[in-house]
Amino acid sequence: MGEGGAGEGQGAAVDEATGFEVGIVVPKLYRGAAAGCGEVENCVARLVRELEDVGLIVERVRGVPAEFIKLSAPMGTLGRVAAEMNMKKLTYIGMELQFEWDQVGAFVRQPDGSLFSWRERFACFRHLIYSIVNKTDSDITLSFDDKEFHWTQNESLLTRLEDEGIVKLVFPLHDEIKRKQLLRSWALKWFDFTWQPIDEIYSYFGTKIAIYFSFLGMYTRWLFFPAVFGLATQLIDFGSLQWLVLPAFFFFVISWAVFFLQFWKRKNSAVLARWGINYSFSEYKTMGNELDPLSFSMADDNVQQRKFGAPKEKSIVQRNEWFGVLLRIRNNAIIVLAIICLQLPFELAYAHLYAITKTEALRYVLTAVYLAAIQYYTRIGGKVSVTLIKYENNQGEQSSADSLVYKVFGLYFMQSYIGLFYHASLHRNIMALRQVLIKRLIVLENLIENSIPYLNYSYKKYRAVHKKKHEKESPAGKSVRLSTRVEKEYLKPSYTASIGEELEDGLFDDFLELTLQFGMIMMFACAFPLIFCFAALNNVTEIRADALKLLVMLKRPAPRDAATIGAWLNIFQFLVVMAICTNCLLLVCLYDEEGKWKIEPGLAAILIMEHALFLIKFGFSHFVPEEPAWVKANRGRYVAQAQNVCSKQLLRSIAKLDAKLE
């Protein structure tokens, strides 16, 4: 790419600037106290001055619950920080190279035309504000209200203010223009059932949330196929062929699930290619810097050491790898034993008591006690899982998050399905099973889920306004209300996980809900084919409800880097295998009218069907390529371009290294 193109791109980028995207919350001071005590400088004023000195645009807002510092950044400031952070960005030759501001034209822009993604911008903001340190030769005395403290040399100012309790929170701010656009084109667009502006969602919320909604939209669209088939089994009389309907539906559902998961992999790779995200590199970054080839310095003093120390380093890496595997096996065994010894008897006891209880009032009381107890047990299990993960030798944050997913799903698997298995296998009460399935898939669940953040926000708003009315400086009789957007966002709940929030965000609960639903409709498909209709209706509302939750009811989530749905894909595949086993059992129950287990031609046919479906599960998955042809073609072209550009430089580097080794 020519120098003129790079210069023009740089000039255009300099003129760009972000909106106010980050907020810092500090307590309010009574008027007149903000100037500090005598010669001691007020720490908030010093923070604002330092933020402006590093190139940020600062706006102070005095709200009802606190004071807010809103931050924006010119693109030149973000570019400088990205270069300081050694940020890697995709270039037009398909390679991810270290960002250089003077070569900005060589780097691929985002789908919305911006130079940096939301995740990259937020990382730059955090690097800027937390890298403000005391560079003087002595400590600086700062004050807040009547309190004084020392800002020591080379100490981060923001970290010190957080430790002193002055900075309450640093959080992302919603962009009002883009937020309202997404409300109109996404959250409130009910007439177009599953369509979503995925590129706009990616630009606004980042990769992980965009991948979730892409998956949810595709899953919902694909649900319409088994929903139509399931509806047909209930409405159409097939006469003498009626006995073949459920086995045929069973074959269709398993094939549908296998193809859905394969086509999702294709869509996932296509979406990442469209966003300019190199999946293999993203996966590599989650491993941390332990195996980073750049850590193997080629300095003159270390060349011989690296040459003869390679086998030793290999053995250390292998030992750490297998030690981590053993730790994960041990921790998983602890969780499994806890489920078998503690949760399984409790779940079976509840299912049995619910089945023998005759009055509905007692059933409601029993269910209330059960829900309270199981929520307490699940939270304890989640905390134990997080503690165990800390002692695992996981490579990176994503690996730890995946470990949490497997452990917590085991807890919820038992909680969600043991009652259904009880009705299906022991009592063989298909009608009771259908009633339970319907209750668990009702659409009102979304209303309850989204009403909790709203009630939480309303309560915090009431407390802030009530406290303001009783402050001494508040004029008597004057109404108090939240007038700025930033203070309203501050009072909204954060998008956090119910379990392990230090490892996962709110998508943990949303994906958990999807997997539990998928397991329910797959494992009990033959007992109630109409269940797919309920699931499709639920998911249509889920798309819009989750969009409203993110855009209206919660703070803007901090972006997280994720190229795929991670461990959840393995859980979906596990549930397909479970569905083959449970539906074969259901077919035996449905066709054995006397309720007796007999080895007869019908049962033998079902066993043959089970083996055939396992063959479909593991065979059909290879028929659909995981990547579209155009993605592979682009990768091949990028590789050829990269080889042409880098071959001479690599050869020169290898020749120099060989000369040093000799």
Side-chain angles (χ1 to χ4, degrees), residues 9-25:
Q10 183 177 348
V14 169
D15 295 335
E16 298 176 14
T18 68
F20 289 105
E21 293 192 305
V22 175
I24 301 175
V25 185

Side-chain angles (χ1 to χ4, degrees), residues 109-141:
R109 287 183 169 260
Q110 301 299 307
D112 62 350
S114 59
L115 179 60
F116 296 104
S117 67
W118 165 229
R119 180 188 63 82
E120 293 167 340
R121 295 198 306 274
F122 189 69
C124 290
F125 272 109
R126 288 188 63 86
H127 178 82
L128 261 180
I129 63 180
Y130 279 97
S131 62
I132 297 174
V133 297
N134 181 4
K135 297 180 180 179
T136 64
D137 297 331
S138 61
D139 296 349
I140 298 175
T141 303

Side-chain angles (χ1 to χ4, degrees), residues 57 188 232 288 342 350 372 444 474 540 601:
I57 301 171
L188 301 178
L342 299 177
Y350 165 71
L444 291 177
S474 299
V540 168

Side-chain angles (χ1 to χ4, degrees), residues 271-289:
V271 166
L272 293 177
R274 191 167 74 236
W275 295 338
I277 297 175
N278 189 333
Y279 167 63
S280 59
F281 185 77
S282 300
E283 189 178 47
Y284 166 75
K285 286 190 292 185
T286 63
M287 298 173 62
N289 295 325

Side-chain angles (χ1 to χ4, degrees), residues 12-199:
V14 169
D15 295 335
E16 298 176 14
T18 68
F20 289 105
E21 293 192 305
V22 175
I24 301 175
V25 185
V26 296
K28 289 191 302 182
L29 281 176
Y30 289 111
R31 302 189 187 280
C37 303
E39 297 180 357
V40 179
E41 186 176 8
N42 177 265
C43 62
V44 176
R46 181 59 182 259
L47 175 63
V48 170
R49 181 158 61 86
E50 293 285 350
L51 291 171
E52 291 174 339
D53 288 345
V54 296
L56 292 172
I57 301 171
V58 182
E59 179 180 325
R60 296 178 69 171
V61 177
R62 187 176 174 85
V64 171
E67 184 175 349
F68 304 92
I69 302 172
K70 297 164 59 178
L71 303 178
S72 174
M75 201 56 60
T77 300
L78 293 180
R80 171 177 57 82
V81 176
E84 290 177 3
M85 296 171 62
N86 297 325
M87 182 180 291
K88 298 291 181 66
K89 285 184 64 64
L90 187 69
T91 62
Y92 284 102
I93 63 169
M95 292 183 65
E96 286 188 329
L97 300 177
Q98 184 174 317
F99 181 77
E100 295 290 344
W101 179 241
D102 56 353
Q103 298 295 329
V104 65
F107 296 93
V108 176
R109 287 183 169 260
Q110 301 299 307
D112 62 350
S114 59
L115 179 60
F116 296 104
S117 67
W118 165 229
R119 180 188 63 82
E120 293 167 340
R121 295 198 306 274
F122 189 69
C124 290
F125 272 109
R126 288 188 63 86
H127 178 82
L128 261 180
I129 63 180
Y130 279 97
S131 62
I132 297 174
V133 297
N134 181 4
K135 297 180 180 179
T136 64
D137 297 331
S138 61
D139 296 349
I140 298 175
T141 303
L142 300 174
S143 70
F144 185 82
D145 206 356
D146 296 329
K147 179 181 179 181
E148 293 186 3
F149 59 92
H150 295 286
W151 179 23
T152 59
Q153 297 179 53
N154 298 318
E155 181 184 25
S156 170
L157 176 58
L158 196 66
T159 301
R160 183 55 192 260
L161 294 181
E162 288 177 334
D163 293 340
E164 295 291 337
I166 298 171
V167 170
K168 296 181 178 180
L169 184 67
V170 178
F171 67 104
L173 296 176
H174 277 290
D175 184 313
E176 274 304 287
I177 296 176
K178 294 179 180 178
R179 189 183 73 88
K180 290 180 179 178
Q181 288 175 348
L182 283 173
L183 273 173
R184 290 191 297 269
S185 64
W186 178 33
L188 301 178
K189 201 170 184 180
W190 287 89
F191 62 87
D192 199 345
F193 296 112
T194 61
W195 182 86
Q196 300 177 90
I198 295 298
D199 290 344

